[in-house]
Each structure stands twice: as structure tokens, then as C-alpha cells.
Amino acid sequence: MRNRAFYVLALLIVLITGGFIWRLHVLQIQKYDYYAVREKNNYTRFVTEEPVRGRILDTKGRVLAYDQTAYNVAVVPALSKNATLTKENLLKLGAKAEDVEAAFESSKLYPFQPMIVIQDLSESDRLKVLEVENYDPAVKLVLGSKRVYPYGQLGAFITGYVGRASKEDLQRDANLRPSSIVGKMAAEKVFDSYLRGQPGVTEVLVDVSGRVVKEKLASTPVKGYDVYLTVDMDLQKVAWDAVASEVGGVIAANPKDGSIYALVSKPSFDPNVFVKGIDSATWKEYEKNSSLVNRMTMSQIPAGSTFKVVTGLAGLYYHAITPSFTINDPGYLQLGSARVWNYGHRSWGKVDFIKGLAVSNNVYFGTVGLRTGIDRIYEVAKTLGLTDYPWIEYDAVSKGTVPNQQWKKEVIGEPWYPGDTVNTSIGQGYVAVSPILMAQVYQQIINDGELYKFRFLKEVRDGKTVVFKAEPESRPQSTIYKSWFPVIREGLEAGVDWGLLKGLKSDLYTAAGKSGTAETERAKKYHKWLIAYANRSNPEIMVVSLRLYTTDTEPVKITKTVMEGYFRGKAAVR
């Protein structure tokens, strides 16, 4: 009996072992091609996780933009059993139709990439999403972040805002995906490479039927760097309040290194409205008021009498006049049957170069323009950078226009007349420049032709470690006029000492500057300019103020308020 049991057991072992060997043969030999093809048809997808974006801070460490934890709704189109139903579910939850369609469009290239369609859910809305998740696996409640701008409109043209990567963004940067958050304007856009960080990556193995077989974390997200700006929000608030309800703005900067301390443009906008998606009513209001247009970098308007320094410089450089060149001003300049008047039709008697600048005399600089010639004025304006884009760390800027005979013939289709020369000489007519371009001109006057790039970046940090410290950049833009800049500065100082800008005087500083009043197409409404700097012996701040279509001709109030705010703030630090 024992032998019989032994033989039965041995037979069973042989049969079982033989079965395993045969099965192994079938899998590895006979069906090798089948499983090889099946394995080959499995494929890997890469799903990214957005990192926490770096903060934007002012020069004193006050936070202008940061990421805050938020619950969001995402859709993974590849997991949808019924695309139409999934879209309906998302719309019921409050997603915008265009965002849903964009998510499904992106799924053609990135089917397993969660696409955010609703941001910053309330607690009650979260519960609704959890209910939908139970029967629609494509809809996901995810913990993510939202961008917050605590200063709102006050810092809008400094921070800008962020948004999903557009088609243009994706074409420009191969590292981006449709789910990527990128800067769309101002510091968010200009310094995006520092702020963005590195996304996390998960490898997703998917079989031929589209089912997820395996997931593997390849890398975790890396937070973006913090970006510190040269802007001082104390001075920004002073400038904001000084502009009040006017349409226009202020630029305050250090002329000796290009650091921008304040940048105000009104009307402004709230960058926070772009985080969840701007509604149509707000968008229409912004469009109506051109609230997204930075008037200090984008305006193309006549410079008015602030342009007279260009005309004067051309006259001096080409020896059409000397500083002592004098006219007897009757209050107007006769051009055939037409007259070009001084502001207020005032006669100033004997006027030389310094007095001409100090009292902003149209007759004097119209005469200088005629003696010099438009082509020479144009060449000086071009050398100063007025026919180019400004040199600034900013994304939204406009090119300047200073006309000459060729320009008028090509653009207007008309010949050049002496009246065109006079109009150009006093910053009217076809002259069209932005405040930042005129700021460049006056910066060169201060620095004897050296031009410093206007900049916002102070430094970049990883926690407390400084990984990049910005340094001033400069170039000898117009040093060929170096010997004549002191004459220009003397005229700008006289304007404050006894000329039209006496109201700019203060016990806190010694200033120099030039105002300008440009006529507009609207009756009795003007573009009011003032460009000034202080202190004279060692300029540390320059201020450009602009009021568009204003009826108030008082020249100094905004600039004086900003300058005094700067020097009071400096004294308080001491």
C-alpha cells in the first residue's frame, strides 16, 4: 500500500511539474509574439503637476503676489465614459463653456492630464463636485492653488496677472503644457522663468483599451523662486493717491541706475478677477475704459513743451544757435498768414535759451526749430531714442514717432511745410511718444548722455538665499551731446527757480524740470506733462507725471506730492 501511494504521489508531482513546464513553454515560446505585441501596445503618458509659483515682493519685502491653497475642479477627458455627459456635468458645476471645450481639445495631445476648469471652490461647491465624482470618473476635485494679489488695482501694472498657457505660449516654450500657469503681463510675464518653478511628473502606463495599468512618480514639483522688485509700495501709494481720479499716471525712478520706484496708470484693473476667469460685464468695463492699457508705457501722444529740450539740443549741437541767442518775443510767431502763439498769448520780451526753457516759450523754440531744420531735429530725437522702443524691463511698450519730411511723405502723403517744423519743435503735430520714452530723454540729460535701462528687478531668492542680484545696465546713448547737456540742465533749473515751475520748490529737495501742455482733439482739454528730478547736485529720483484730457492746467501738484513723499520716506528710514 505504501509503495502504491508513493507512486501515485510521484505521478502527481510529475504531471503538475509537466503542466507548469508546458504552460511556460506556451507563454514564452508559442505565444511570445502575442504578448510581445500586447506589451508593445501599452504606452506611457506623462502627467504634470503644477508647482507653487514664486512670490513677488517689493523692495521692502511686502508681498505683492503669492499662491494660496485652493480646491479646484479638474477634468481628465480620457477617463470620461460619455464626453457629452461630462461636459454637461462641468457646466452644471459652474465651469465656462470655453474652458471645458479647451480642456477637451487639449486632451487630444494630453488625454490623462487633469485640466483645471473651475478654481477656488466654496465648501458647498466642493460637496457638489464629490457627488459628481461618484458617477463621472473624469471629473476630479483637486487640491491646488490660486494666485492672490493683495494690493489689487494699486499694484496691477507692476505685478500683472497669470493665466493658462495659450497656443502662442505653447509654441514659444516647448516646456509648457496646456495645464501650465504662466505670466500674462508685467512682472508675472517678464520674470516668469524665475517664478514658474518646475512641474512634477508622473508616468502613467496605459493599455490598448485606454485603461491605466500603472502609475509611477518620476519627480515632485519644485517651487518657483521669489522675485524682489525695486518698487516701494509706500511711494506707489503716494503716487496713486496723487493721481486721484485723473486719467494718466506716474513713473518714479532713480535716474542713476534705472530702478523704478513707482508706476501708476489710471484707470487700473484688479488682477484678482483673472484668477477665476473674468466675467463679461467686468471685461466690457475694462475695455470701455482701456483699463488694461498702461498709459505710461503705451501712450502715443504729443509731448508738448517737454520736447523743447530736444529742439534746443539740436539747435546747440548743429550750431544753429548759441546759449546767448536772443529773440524779441511779441507773443506769437508769424508763419505766412498764420500765427503760432505762446501759451496764454503772453509776450515775454527778450528771450534767450535759458529763459526760453524756463518760461516754455513757443516763439523762441519755434524760431530755433526753423533755424535748425526738421531733419536735424529728427536726427537728435532718433539718437535720444525717441523713434524706437524704450529700454525697460516691461512687456507692454510702444514705439515713438518723431516726424520728418520723408515720414510725412510716406505716411501722410503730403509735403513738409514750415508750420510742421514749428509744431514739431514745440512737441505738437505728429510727435507721438510715451512717458517712459520722454523719461529716457531726461535721464540722458541728467547723465550727460549715458542711458540706464529702466528696471524692476532687484534680486531673486530661493528662500533666504539670493540666487541672482540685478545690476544696473547702461550704454552711451547720446554722449556726443555731452558738452551741451549742462546748458539744458541750467534751463530746467531756472524753470523751478523763477520760471513756470516755481510751485515745485520744496524745503525737502532742490529740483529741476520741464512741464508740457499738449493740445488734443477735444476742445479745452489737454494732455498735461511734467518731468522733473531732484536733487540737482546728485539726482536720486526723477518723476514723470501725465494727465490725459484734463481741464486742470496746474503743472506741479502730482510731481511735487510724489517727490516730497520720496524724501519724507527717506528721512523716516534714517
Side-chain angles (χ1 to χ4, degrees):
M1 289 293 292
R2 289 181 179 176
N3 288 339
R4 183 179 179 181
F6 172 78
Y7 285 121
V8 170
L9 179 62
L11 180 61
L12 288 173
I13 291 172
V14 169
L15 290 173
I16 291 171
T17 303
F20 277 122
I21 292 172
W22 173 251
R23 183 60 180 166
L24 189 62
H25 170 77
V26 169
L27 293 175
Q28 291 192 344
I29 306 299
Q30 292 186 8
K31 291 194 174 182
Y32 171 80
D33 291 340
Y34 168 77
Y35 284 105
V37 170
R38 184 172 176 178
E39 177 66 23
K40 187 176 181 181
N41 287 336
N42 288 345
Y43 56 92
T44 301
R45 296 285 188 178
F46 295 95
V47 174
T48 59
E49 179 185 352
E50 283 300 299
V52 173
R53 194 170 174 86
R55 300 176 301 166
I56 301 175
L57 305 94
D58 84 341
T59 189
K60 295 176 180 176
R62 285 166 291 205
V63 180
L64 311 184
Y66 66 96
D67 274 10
Q68 184 180 80
T69 301
Y71 282 94
N72 305 321
V73 177
V75 61
V76 184
L79 300 180
S80 176
K81 298 175 181 178
N82 184 321
T84 301
L85 182 59
T86 296
K87 290 178 181 180
E88 290 177 359
N89 290 334
L90 292 170
L91 293 175
K92 289 177 182 177
L93 290 171
K96 293 181 179 179
E98 58 266 31
D99 293 337
V100 173
E101 291 301 327
F104 275 81
E105 181 66 25
S106 299
S107 71
K108 295 176 182 178
L109 290 176
Y110 307 99
F112 290 93
Q113 178 67 50
M115 295 293 296
I116 304 298
V117 291
I118 307 175
Q119 281 195 308
D120 195 22
L121 294 173
S122 65
E123 187 172 350
S124 60
D125 287 337
R126 280 180 242 161
L127 295 175
K128 295 177 184 177
V129 178
L130 291 173
E131 291 176 8
V132 174
E133 275 189 333
N134 290 328
Y135 57 84
D136 191 340
V139 177
K140 304 288 184 183
L141 178 66
V142 296
L143 183 62
S145 62
K146 69 170 184 176
R147 199 66 165 166
V148 179
Y149 301 96
Y151 285 91
Q153 292 193 29
L154 177 60
F157 285 104
I158 295 169
T159 60
Y161 61 92
V162 295
R164 295 284 164 197
S166 64
K167 290 182 179 179
E168 293 76 16
D169 294 324
L170 297 173
Q171 291 170 356
R172 187 187 71 251
D173 190 337
N175 294 318
L176 294 176
R177 289 202 169 195
S179 59
S180 299
I181 297 295
V182 297
K184 295 293 185 178
M185 180 183 182
E188 291 278 28
K189 183 175 182 179
V190 176
F191 307 121
D192 186 67
S193 60
Y194 292 124
L195 294 163
R196 193 191 305 166
Q198 296 294 326
V201 178
T202 299
E203 295 180 9
V204 180
L205 186 65
V206 183
D207 66 18
V208 290
S209 61
R211 292 175 299 184
V212 176
V213 177
K214 183 172 62 175
E215 292 186 6
K216 177 185 176 183
L217 182 65
S219 62
T220 57
V222 178
K223 179 183 178 294
Y225 291 131
D226 290 337
V227 169
Y228 285 73
L229 304 180
T230 58
V231 172
D232 181 347
M233 290 308 289
D234 289 330
L235 191 62
Q236 177 77 5
K237 182 63 164 59
V238 171
W240 176 272
D241 291 342
V243 177
S245 60
E246 296 266 16
V247 175
V250 166
I251 299 169
N254 185 336
K256 292 296 186 179
D257 69 6
S259 300
I260 293 179
Y261 297 146
L263 173 62
V264 170
S265 176
K266 289 189 177 184
S268 186
F269 66 96
D270 184 358
N272 291 292
V273 304
F274 290 93
V275 174
K276 295 183 70 172
I278 187 169
D279 61 80
S280 59
T282 305
W283 179 253
K284 286 179 181 178
E285 180 187 351
Y286 284 172
E287 276 196 317
K288 177 183 176 182
N289 297 325
S290 298
S291 299
L292 295 172
V293 176
N294 187 336
R295 287 162 171 80
M296 304 309 286
T297 63
M298 290 291 290
S299 293
Q300 293 175 298
I301 58 173
S305 293
T306 62
F307 188 85
K308 289 173 180 172
V309 295
V310 179
T311 304
L313 186 60
L316 293 168
Y317 178 73
Y318 286 107
H319 305 293
I321 62 166
T322 66
S324 61
F325 171 69
T326 303
I327 66 165
N328 188 22
D329 169 31
Y332 60 86
L333 180 62
Q334 192 75 44
L335 287 172
S337 60
R339 289 179 175 179
V340 177
W341 292 88
N342 286 328
Y343 182 73
H345 288 207
R346 179 172 176 177
S347 170
W348 290 92
K350 288 187 177 181
V351 179
D352 62 8
F353 189 88
I354 302 303
K355 184 177 179 180
L357 274 181
V359 302
S360 197
N361 192 278
N362 287 345
V363 177
Y364 186 88
F365 284 97
T367 303
V368 172
L370 291 171
R371 290 172 67 98
T372 306
I374 188 58
D375 290 331
R376 287 175 168 179
I377 295 172
Y378 171 83
E379 285 302 318
V380 171
K382 181 180 179 181
T383 302
L384 292 167
L386 282 177
T387 61
D388 206 341
Y389 292 98
W391 198 26
I392 182 175
E393 273 180 344
Y394 206 72
D395 61 307
V397 295
S398 62
K399 193 175 183 179
T401 296
V402 177
N404 61 5
Q405 297 182 65
Q406 181 181 354
W407 179 91
K408 190 181 180 188
K409 183 177 181 180
E410 293 176 353
V411 176
I412 308 299
E414 296 179 358
W416 190 265
Y417 299 106
D420 293 323
T421 300
V422 173
N423 279 335
T424 302
S425 298
I426 59 175
Q428 294 281 171
Y430 302 113
V431 173
V433 293
S434 65
I436 194 67
L437 276 174
M438 289 307 297
Q440 284 190 175
V441 171
Y442 280 73
Q443 194 208 95
Q444 292 168 73
I445 292 170
I446 293 167
N447 295 322
D448 285 332
E450 192 74 12
L451 175 62
Y452 286 87
K453 180 180 182 179
F454 283 113
R455 61 190 178 93
F456 287 90
L457 185 60
K458 178 182 179 182
E459 61 189 23
V460 179
R461 295 186 190 179
D462 183 4
K464 293 183 178 180
T465 304
V466 176
V467 296
F468 177 76
K469 188 174 182 63
E471 297 293 339
E473 295 180 59
S474 70
R475 64 191 185 204
Q477 180 80 22
S478 57
T479 50
I480 59 171
Y481 309 134
K482 184 175 182 178
S483 60
W484 297 111
F485 283 128
V487 181
I488 304 290
R489 292 196 294 268
E490 185 181 349
L492 300 180
E493 293 171 5
V496 177
D497 289 340
W498 48 265
L500 296 185
L501 300 182
K502 287 185 290 186
L504 193 56
K505 288 181 180 179
S506 173
D507 294 336
L508 299 176
Y509 56 75
T510 57
K514 184 76 191 72
S515 61
T517 303
E519 296 179 353
T520 73
E521 72 281 6
R522 303 180 191 177
K524 297 183 179 179
K525 291 198 173 184
Y526 306 91
H527 299 325
K528 194 68 183 178
W529 294 72
L530 179 56
I531 308 175
Y533 59 90
N535 284 302
R536 294 177 184 178
S537 59
N538 184 27
E540 54 191 279
I541 185 171
M542 65 182 304
V543 178
V544 182
S545 65
L546 174 66
R547 290 175 289 158
L548 297 170
Y549 299 107
T550 184
T551 56
D552 183 2
T553 57
E554 196 284 319
V556 304
K557 61 180 182 181
I558 294 176
T559 298
K560 185 173 184 177
T561 299
V562 175
M563 280 192 166
E564 290 188 336
Y566 169 81
F567 283 101
R568 285 196 179 101
K570 184 180 175 183
V573 172
R574 292 173 185 168

